[in-house]
Amino acid sequence: MKNSRSQNLKNQHGFSLIELMIVIAIIGLLIGVGVPAWRYMTIAANENTTIQAIDNIEKAQLQFAGRKRGDFATFDELIKETGFNEKFKGEQPTVNGFVFEMKVEKRSPGKSPSWSVNADPVSTSEGTRHFYRDSVTSTTRVSEDAPANPQSPPL
């Protein structure tokens, strides 16, 4: 009995073609399911990080306004005065696949100071939604297919 078993093991020379094809089919199935899920998770993470960044921008603006008698700041001023994240340096910084654009209206006679920020994805692989927030509503607005604005639905 031992001889026939050891004889059979010696005669085997690897996997059969059917076995290899089954393994390749299973790997293909796992990749087919996994890649879209991975893409969705990446987009969701980028969008959630962007929403948090917008929240942090609002907090930094309120901190700046408290120090500067109600005036608001650009990204560079926020970095200098409040220690805001240096990734946001410049006019239109790109952070986590989103381009941020800040508009600041300084105080003038008959006009209150205000700020607004848009965050738009660089490409659909980074995110699919566009975000907006301003000093008036303090609510993040979202748009699926175009830059968000004050009339966009709230998040």
Side-chain angles (χ1 to χ4, degrees), residues 20-63:
L20 288 174
M21 288 174 58
I22 290 171
V23 168
I24 290 171
I26 290 171
I27 290 171
L29 229 137
L30 291 173
I31 289 172
V33 170
V35 168
W38 178 262
R39 184 174 178 269
Y40 173 77
M41 287 174 31
T42 302
I43 288 171
N46 286 343
E47 289 179 350
N48 286 333
T49 302
T50 299
I51 293 166
Q52 289 176 347
I54 291 172
D55 289 342
N56 290 337
I57 290 168
E58 180 177 38
K59 290 173 188 170
Q61 286 288 17
L62 292 173
Q63 184 181 1

Coordinates of all heavy atoms in Angstrom, one line a residue, residues 20-63:
L20 N -5.5 25.1 -12.8 CA -5.0 26.4 -13.0 C -6.0 27.4 -13.6 O -6.1 28.5 -13.1 CB -3.8 26.4 -14.0 CG -2.5 25.7 -13.4 CD1 -1.4 25.6 -14.5 CD2 -2.0 26.5 -12.2
M21 N -6.9 26.9 -14.5 CA -7.9 27.8 -15.0 C -8.9 28.2 -13.9 O -9.4 29.3 -13.9 CB -8.6 27.1 -16.2 CG -7.7 27.0 -17.4 SD -8.4 26.1 -18.8 CE -9.9 26.9 -19.1
I22 N -9.2 27.3 -13.1 CA -10.2 27.6 -12.0 C -9.6 28.6 -11.0 O -10.2 29.6 -10.6 CB -10.6 26.3 -11.2 CG1 -11.4 25.4 -12.1 CG2 -11.3 26.6 -9.9 CD1 -11.7 24.0 -11.5
V23 N -8.3 28.5 -10.7 CA -7.6 29.5 -9.8 C -7.6 30.8 -10.5 O -7.9 31.9 -9.9 CB -6.2 29.0 -9.4 CG1 -5.4 30.1 -8.8 CG2 -6.3 27.8 -8.5
I24 N -7.3 30.9 -11.8 CA -7.2 32.1 -12.5 C -8.6 32.8 -12.6 O -8.8 34.0 -12.4 CB -6.6 31.9 -13.9 CG1 -5.1 31.6 -13.8 CG2 -6.9 33.2 -14.8 CD1 -4.5 31.2 -15.0
A25 N -9.7 32.0 -12.8 CA -11.0 32.5 -12.8 C -11.4 33.1 -11.4 O -12.1 34.1 -11.4 CB -12.0 31.4 -13.2
I26 N -11.1 32.4 -10.4 CA -11.4 32.9 -9.0 C -10.6 34.2 -8.8 O -11.2 35.2 -8.3 CB -11.0 31.9 -7.9 CG1 -12.0 30.7 -8.0 CG2 -11.1 32.5 -6.5 CD1 -11.6 29.5 -7.2
I27 N -9.4 34.3 -9.1 CA -8.6 35.5 -9.0 C -9.2 36.7 -9.8 O -9.4 37.8 -9.3 CB -7.1 35.3 -9.3 CG1 -6.5 34.4 -8.3 CG2 -6.4 36.7 -9.4 CD1 -5.1 34.0 -8.7
G28 N -9.6 36.4 -11.0 CA -10.3 37.4 -11.9 C -11.6 37.9 -11.3 O -11.9 39.0 -11.3
L29 N -12.4 36.9 -10.7 CA -13.6 37.3 -10.0 C -13.4 38.2 -8.8 O -14.0 39.3 -8.6 CB -14.3 36.1 -9.5 CG -15.8 36.0 -9.9 CD1 -16.1 34.6 -10.4 CD2 -16.6 36.4 -8.7
L30 N -12.4 37.9 -8.0 CA -12.0 38.8 -6.9 C -11.6 40.2 -7.3 O -11.9 41.2 -6.7 CB -10.9 38.1 -6.0 CG -11.3 36.8 -5.3 CD1 -10.1 36.2 -4.6 CD2 -12.4 37.1 -4.3
I31 N -10.8 40.2 -8.4 CA -10.3 41.5 -8.9 C -11.5 42.3 -9.4 O -11.7 43.5 -9.2 CB -9.3 41.3 -9.9 CG1 -8.0 40.9 -9.3 CG2 -9.0 42.6 -10.7 CD1 -6.9 40.5 -10.3
G32 N -12.4 41.6 -10.1 CA -13.6 42.3 -10.7 C -14.5 42.9 -9.6 O -15.1 43.9 -9.9
V33 N -14.6 42.2 -8.5 CA -15.4 42.8 -7.4 C -14.6 43.8 -6.6 O -15.1 44.8 -6.2 CB -15.9 41.6 -6.5 CG1 -16.5 42.1 -5.2 CG2 -16.8 40.7 -7.2
G34 N -13.3 43.6 -6.4 CA -12.5 44.4 -5.5 C -12.1 45.8 -6.1 O -12.1 46.7 -5.3
V35 N -11.8 45.8 -7.4 CA -11.4 47.1 -7.9 C -12.5 48.2 -7.8 O -12.2 49.3 -7.4 CB -10.9 46.9 -9.4 CG1 -10.7 48.3 -10.1 CG2 -9.6 46.1 -9.3
P36 N -13.7 47.9 -8.2 CA -14.7 49.0 -8.1 C -15.0 49.4 -6.6 O -15.2 50.5 -6.3 CB -16.0 48.3 -8.7 CG -15.5 47.3 -9.6 CD -14.2 46.8 -9.0
A37 N -14.9 48.4 -5.7 CA -15.1 48.7 -4.3 C -14.0 49.6 -3.8 O -14.2 50.5 -3.0 CB -15.2 47.4 -3.5
W38 N -12.7 49.3 -4.2 CA -11.6 50.1 -3.8 C -11.7 51.5 -4.4 O -11.5 52.5 -3.7 CB -10.3 49.4 -4.4 CG -9.1 50.2 -4.1 CD1 -8.4 51.1 -4.9 CD2 -8.4 50.2 -2.8 NE1 -7.4 51.6 -4.2 CE2 -7.3 51.1 -2.9 CE3 -8.6 49.6 -1.6 CZ2 -6.4 51.4 -1.9 CZ3 -7.7 49.8 -0.6 CH2 -6.6 50.7 -0.7
R39 N -12.2 51.6 -5.6 CA -12.4 53.0 -6.2 C -13.4 53.7 -5.4 O -13.2 54.9 -5.1 CB -12.8 52.8 -7.7 CG -12.9 54.1 -8.4 CD -13.2 53.9 -9.9 NE -13.3 55.2 -10.5 CZ -14.5 55.8 -10.7 NH1 -15.6 55.3 -10.3 NH2 -14.5 57.0 -11.3
Y40 N -14.5 53.1 -5.1 CA -15.6 53.8 -4.3 C -15.1 54.2 -3.0 O -15.3 55.3 -2.5 CB -16.8 52.8 -4.2 CG -17.8 53.4 -3.3 CD1 -18.7 54.4 -3.7 CD2 -17.9 53.0 -1.9 CE1 -19.6 55.0 -2.9 CE2 -18.9 53.5 -1.1 CZ -19.7 54.5 -1.5 OH -20.6 55.1 -0.7
M41 N -14.3 53.3 -2.3 CA -13.8 53.7 -1.0 C -12.8 54.9 -1.1 O -12.8 55.7 -0.2 CB -13.1 52.5 -0.4 CG -14.1 51.4 0.1 SD -13.4 49.9 0.7 CE -11.8 50.3 1.4
T42 N -12.0 54.9 -2.1 CA -11.0 56.0 -2.3 C -11.8 57.3 -2.5 O -11.5 58.3 -1.9 CB -10.1 55.7 -3.5 OG1 -9.4 54.5 -3.3 CG2 -9.1 56.8 -3.7
I43 N -12.8 57.3 -3.4 CA -13.6 58.5 -3.6 C -14.3 59.0 -2.3 O -14.3 60.2 -2.0 CB -14.6 58.2 -4.7 CG1 -13.9 58.1 -6.1 CG2 -15.7 59.3 -4.8 CD1 -14.8 57.7 -7.2
A44 N -14.9 58.0 -1.6 CA -15.6 58.4 -0.4 C -14.6 59.0 0.7 O -14.9 60.0 1.3 CB -16.3 57.2 0.2
A45 N -13.4 58.4 0.7 CA -12.4 59.0 1.7 C -12.0 60.4 1.3 O -11.9 61.3 2.1 CB -11.2 58.0 1.7
N46 N -11.7 60.6 0.0 CA -11.3 61.9 -0.5 C -12.4 62.9 -0.2 O -12.2 64.1 0.2 CB -11.0 61.9 -2.0 CG -9.7 61.2 -2.3 OD1 -8.9 61.1 -1.4 ND2 -9.5 60.9 -3.6
E47 N -13.7 62.6 -0.4 CA -14.8 63.5 -0.2 C -15.0 63.8 1.3 O -15.2 64.9 1.7 CB -16.1 62.9 -0.8 CG -16.0 63.0 -2.4 CD -17.3 62.4 -3.0 OE1 -18.1 61.8 -2.4 OE2 -17.4 62.6 -4.3
N48 N -14.9 62.8 2.1 CA -15.0 63.0 3.6 C -13.9 63.9 4.1 O -14.1 64.7 4.9 CB -15.0 61.7 4.3 CG -16.3 61.0 4.2 OD1 -17.4 61.6 3.9 ND2 -16.3 59.6 4.2
T49 N -12.6 63.7 3.6 CA -11.5 64.5 4.0 C -11.7 65.9 3.5 O -11.4 66.9 4.3 CB -10.2 64.0 3.4 OG1 -10.0 62.6 3.8 CG2 -9.0 64.8 3.8
T50 N -12.3 66.1 2.4 CA -12.6 67.5 1.9 C -13.7 68.2 2.7 O -13.5 69.4 3.1 CB -13.1 67.4 0.4 OG1 -12.0 66.8 -0.4 CG2 -13.4 68.8 -0.1
I51 N -14.7 67.4 3.1 CA -15.7 68.0 4.0 C -15.1 68.4 5.3 O -15.4 69.5 5.9 CB -16.9 67.0 4.2 CG1 -17.6 66.8 2.9 CG2 -17.8 67.5 5.3 CD1 -18.6 65.6 2.9
Q52 N -14.2 67.6 5.9 CA -13.5 68.0 7.1 C -12.6 69.2 6.9 O -12.6 70.1 7.8 CB -12.7 66.8 7.6 CG -13.5 65.7 8.2 CD -12.6 64.5 8.6 OE1 -11.4 64.4 8.2 NE2 -13.2 63.5 9.3
A53 N -12.0 69.3 5.8 CA -11.1 70.4 5.5 C -12.0 71.7 5.4 O -11.6 72.8 5.9 CB -10.4 70.2 4.2
I54 N -13.2 71.6 4.8 CA -14.0 72.8 4.8 C -14.5 73.2 6.2 O -14.5 74.4 6.5 CB -15.2 72.5 3.9 CG1 -14.8 72.4 2.4 CG2 -16.3 73.6 4.0 CD1 -15.8 72.0 1.4
D55 N -14.8 72.2 7.0 CA -15.1 72.5 8.4 C -13.9 73.2 9.1 O -14.1 74.2 9.9 CB -15.4 71.2 9.2 CG -16.7 70.6 8.8 OD1 -17.6 71.3 8.2 OD2 -16.9 69.4 9.2
N56 N -12.7 72.8 8.9 CA -11.5 73.4 9.5 C -11.3 74.8 8.9 O -10.8 75.7 9.7 CB -10.3 72.5 9.2 CG -10.3 71.2 10.0 OD1 -11.0 71.1 11.0 ND2 -9.6 70.2 9.6
I57 N -11.6 75.0 7.7 CA -11.5 76.4 7.1 C -12.5 77.3 7.8 O -12.1 78.4 8.2 CB -11.8 76.3 5.6 CG1 -10.7 75.6 4.8 CG2 -12.0 77.7 5.0 CD1 -11.0 75.3 3.4
E58 N -13.7 76.8 8.1 CA -14.7 77.7 8.8 C -14.2 78.0 10.2 O -14.2 79.2 10.6 CB -16.0 77.0 8.8 CG -17.0 77.9 9.6 CD -18.4 77.3 9.6 OE1 -18.5 76.0 9.8 OE2 -19.4 78.0 9.5
K59 N -13.6 77.0 10.9 CA -13.1 77.3 12.2 C -12.0 78.3 12.2 O -11.9 79.2 13.1 CB -12.6 75.9 12.9 CG -13.8 75.0 13.2 CD -13.3 73.7 13.7 CE -14.4 72.7 13.8 NZ -14.0 71.3 14.1
A60 N -11.1 78.1 11.2 CA -9.9 79.0 11.1 C -10.4 80.5 10.8 O -9.9 81.4 11.3 CB -8.9 78.6 10.1
Q61 N -11.4 80.6 9.9 CA -12.0 81.9 9.6 C -12.6 82.5 10.8 O -12.4 83.7 11.0 CB -13.1 81.7 8.5 CG -12.5 81.5 7.1 CD -11.8 82.7 6.5 OE1 -11.4 83.7 7.2 NE2 -11.6 82.6 5.2
L62 N -13.3 81.8 11.6 CA -13.9 82.3 12.8 C -12.8 82.8 13.8 O -13.0 83.8 14.5 CB -14.9 81.3 13.5 CG -16.1 81.0 12.7 CD1 -16.9 79.9 13.3 CD2 -17.0 82.3 12.5
Q63 N -11.8 82.0 13.9 CA -10.7 82.3 14.8 C -10.0 83.6 14.3 O -9.7 84.5 15.1 CB -9.7 81.2 14.8 CG -8.5 81.4 15.8 CD -7.5 80.2 15.7 OE1 -7.7 79.2 15.0 NE2 -6.5 80.3 16.5

